[in-house]
Amino acid sequence: MDTRGQRLRKQSDAALAFTSSSGPDSRIARHVVAVNMAHMLALLKAGQVGRPTSSRCLRFLLTASSGPRSRQGSEDFHHQLEQDAVDELGVDIAGYLNYGKSRNDQVATAIRMELRERILELARAIALLQGALLTVAEREGTHVVPGYTHLQRAQPVTIGHYCFAYFDSLARDHERLLQAYGRTNLSPMGAAALAGTEVHIDRRSLAGSLGFEAPVGNAMDAVSSRDFAAEAVFCASMAMLDASRLSEELILWSTSEFEFVELDDRYAASSSIMPQKKNPVVAETARAKAGSVVGGLVAVLTILKALPYSYNLDLQEATPPVWRAFDDASAAFRSLAGAVESMKFTKRATESLSADGSTAVSLANYLVRRHGFSFREAHSLVGGLCKAAAEKGVSLSEAVTRGLPEASIRAGRSVSIDRKTIEEILDPSKFAAAIATEGGANPRFVAAEIATRKAELRSGRKAVALLSGLLESSRRRLLKSAERIAREVKSKS
Ligand code: ARG
């Protein structure tokens, strides 16, 4: 018997090919099987099906769980699985599989189950990059390099300061994903098509048997909403935006113009014509994938826009972009982690600061502390000396030595400072060492900053491992219950 029923004649091949999700459903097939098992167990527990029926259905599902038996011309995997069961067990037995459930609650549940795993996988990949940043900080974190604003040299910072900045934004991405996990980890089962069902099912225990925290409260909301998926893809997008900014930095820093880092050959590609080339392809691909992931977010959001409640087949289109986004993001983070961990800062990065004037604010601060200028007066005076340095093509300390006495008189106070003191005031490593504020770029802060972040990373990883463990044990428990019932009746028959 065809599960399409007697209401409709056969669908046109073109319409079926166009509307079928059989291909993309391979992503959720094992979850669909698990949902069918849990539902059958719930029916049995509620006395809605007999033991022999549930036993035979569960036995079928246990063999089906090794993977989908692909068949052409099916609306989707849900349909195909039930049809396979009917073909194998007969409709008098397999016909109970969908008693009290719909594809609508089933698909929403399966998507949530797959997304739970993808969220945890991405969180692990992000943690890898965080770990790589701490490795760099441990290796070279106290060295002082240029920091930029407007992509113009701004002030000296430590390599660690850069690493911690990126680490902290990734920590928020990680945290955000785990918050989205909480809203994903709710079970739509028992919602049936949209109204709930008169078939008695304990929604709470059914949710628990699939590893969910609780059921989605309202049945119509349960089958209609995909905001959990949109939110998860936003989390992936935000993480990828952070990854793209780091990627851009690696690309810039590895140019001959900057020459701040040397990427490891394993994370670079050559040119087919220019023998000298070493291209930062991992960073470039990650930068581009950020665009694809954001594209996935826009796809999900616009599919949801103005969609009437409850289920519409439009929702089927909102799922594949989610998997693509998570695949791309996880792969990007894994590759970037390797590229970052293996890169080396060059001498040029750490030595190029000496005469570039990026510590000019130290001189202004000195004039405030020692010579009674307000900061704005000192800022203006030092700005004039910077201009003179640029015009004459000399270092700032040279320009200050020559120009300060006269410039200070023009500013209303006579100041002269000897060359050695000026060089000390403008020394980039002294600049960093004098930073007093928490979270600043002082090399002395680096060790403690690494230690707190290592602890943070450990607890983040632990949280992810805990959630993975819960999923794994609920999976095992469900299989065991299904096997027990399947065996029980088999031995009697
Ligand atoms: N293939 C569908 C999806 O992915 C499953 C739900 C279909 N429901 C329906 N009423 N046709 O969303």
Side-chain angles (χ1 to χ4, degrees):
M1 182 186 276
D2 187 339
T3 52
R4 190 167 156 87
Q6 295 179 28
R7 169 75 176 78
L8 303 174
R9 282 177 291 131
K10 195 175 171 302
Q11 200 170 19
S12 111
D13 288 344
L16 185 60
F18 180 56
T19 57
S20 169
S21 64
S22 287
D25 282 350
S26 61
R27 281 306 279 251
I28 54 166
R30 67 200 162 92
H31 306 300
V32 170
V33 172
V35 169
N36 272 277
M37 282 183 195
H39 182 73
M40 186 47 71
L41 287 165
L43 288 177
L44 176 67
K45 207 160 132 194
Q48 304 287 330
V49 294
R51 255 189 143 79
T53 299
S54 66
S55 169
R56 297 190 58 194
C57 287
L58 288 165
R59 212 178 310 155
F60 166 82
L61 292 168
L62 283 164
T63 58
S65 63
S66 54
R69 279 171 273 178
S70 104
R71 180 211 294 248
Q72 289 297 308
S74 184
E75 282 180 30
D76 52 31
F77 181 72
H78 315 270
H79 190 256
Q80 179 188 316
L81 182 71
E82 191 186 358
Q83 184 68 59
D84 285 350
V86 167
D87 292 348
E88 192 168 316
L89 306 175
V91 73
D92 52 329
I93 303 288
Y96 284 95
L97 279 170
N98 251 38
Y99 186 41
K101 81 171 162 61
S102 151
R103 282 182 290 176
N104 299 352
D105 55 350
Q106 178 161 293
V107 75
T109 307
I111 293 168
R112 286 169 183 265
M113 290 171 76
E114 174 65 10
L115 188 56
R116 292 189 300 203
E117 294 179 17
R118 298 287 69 82
I119 288 175
L120 296 181
E121 178 189 48
L122 179 55
R124 277 189 290 266
I126 291 174
L128 272 185
L129 180 55
Q130 290 181 277
L133 288 164
L134 291 188
T135 304
V136 173
E138 275 184 315
R139 206 167 48 214
E140 322 181 69
T142 56
H143 297 167
V144 174
V145 293
Y148 293 81
T149 64
H150 309 270
L151 205 54
Q152 305 284 325
R153 287 238 177 142
Q155 290 177 339
V157 295
T158 58
I159 290 174
H161 199 58
Y162 267 115
C163 293
F164 305 144
Y166 278 109
F167 180 101
D168 289 358
S169 68
L170 295 175
R172 288 191 297 279
D173 294 327
H174 190 275
E175 180 183 53
R176 206 176 279 125
L177 271 170
L178 294 192
Q179 288 164 349
Y181 185 95
R183 278 181 285 278
T184 299
N185 195 24
L186 300 170
S187 167
M189 289 312 292
L194 76 162
T197 167
E198 66 184 295
V199 180
H200 285 266
I201 295 164
D202 180 345
R203 288 194 71 204
R204 270 167 214 285
S205 101
L206 177 47
S209 71
L210 291 167
F212 287 103
E213 184 72 37
V216 178
N218 176 276
M220 189 182 276
D221 179 34
V223 298
S224 310
S225 56
R226 295 290 184 274
D227 56 292
F228 67 90
E231 181 184 7
V233 182
F234 169 75
C235 295
S237 300
M238 195 59 242
M240 283 300 284
L241 294 189
D242 289 330
S244 78
R245 297 178 74 172
L246 176 60
S247 299
E248 174 76 1
E249 211 98 80
L250 298 185
I251 292 162
L252 279 175
W253 286 352
S254 58
T255 58
S256 331
E257 283 69 19
F258 271 81
E259 210 189 312
F260 278 5
V261 298
E262 172 85 32
L263 294 172
D264 191 275
D265 289 357
R266 288 172 301 151
Y267 297 95
S270 58
S271 153
S272 61
I273 177 170
M274 297 166 284
Q276 84 282 9
K277 291 301 288 293
K278 177 172 177 182
N279 295 326
V281 288
V282 165
E284 289 173 299
T285 308
R287 184 174 60 179
K289 291 283 189 196
S292 312
V293 174
V294 172
L297 174 62
V298 173
V300 176
L301 292 175
T302 45
I303 288 166
L304 293 181
K305 182 191 170 291
L307 199 60
Y309 275 24
S310 64
Y311 183 87
N312 298 271
L313 199 60
D314 308 46
L315 291 176
Q316 179 173 286
E317 283 302 299
T319 312
V322 178
W323 311 143
R324 269 198 299 277
F326 273 81
D327 289 349
D328 283 346
S330 293
F333 275 97
R334 284 181 186 280
S335 290
L336 269 180
V340 166
E341 186 146 4
S342 59
M343 76 184 185
K344 297 263 158 17
F345 279 85
T346 60
K347 266 194 155 26
R348 178 157 168 197
T350 51
E351 289 176 356
S352 63
L353 280 162
S354 14
D356 74 346
S358 64
T359 50
V361 71
S362 297
L363 179 60
N365 289 344
Y366 183 90
L367 294 176
V368 171
R369 272 197 314 274
R370 296 289 184 89
H371 296 281
F373 288 96
S374 78
F375 179 73
R376 190 54 59 219
E377 290 168 328
H379 176 276
S380 164
L381 191 164
V382 175
L385 296 170
C386 290
K387 186 175 177 191
E391 280 169 1
K392 292 186 183 126
V394 298
S395 70
L396 180 58
S397 48
E398 173 82 40
V400 173
T401 315
R402 285 199 224 155
L404 181 61
E406 200 192 308
S408 60
I409 290 168
R410 260 187 278 119
R413 284 185 174 78
S414 170
V415 178
S416 105
I417 312 173
D418 64 273
R419 175 79 189 246
K420 192 161 158 284
T421 310
I422 290 167
E423 271 165 9
E424 259 169 39
I425 294 167
L426 294 175
D427 181 339
S429 54
K430 293 234 162 60
F431 174 93
I435 288 171
T437 48
E438 199 180 320
N442 191 323
R444 271 185 294 112
F445 298 170
V446 168
E449 299 266 19
I450 291 174
T452 46
R453 284 171 181 79
K454 272 192 165 170
E456 197 182 315
L457 189 55
R458 259 198 308 277
S459 76
R461 284 188 160 133
K462 222 189 231 163
V464 170
L466 188 77
L467 293 171
S468 290
L470 288 175
L471 289 188
E472 188 48 43
S473 54
S474 73
R475 211 165 14 237
R476 271 202 303 266
R477 240 181 295 121
L478 176 64
L479 271 183
K480 243 196 194 145
S481 314
E483 276 161 2
R484 191 168 50 74
I485 304 295
R487 248 196 328 265
E488 208 173 84
V489 178
K490 191 173 161 192
S491 53
K492 281 185 198 158
S493 64

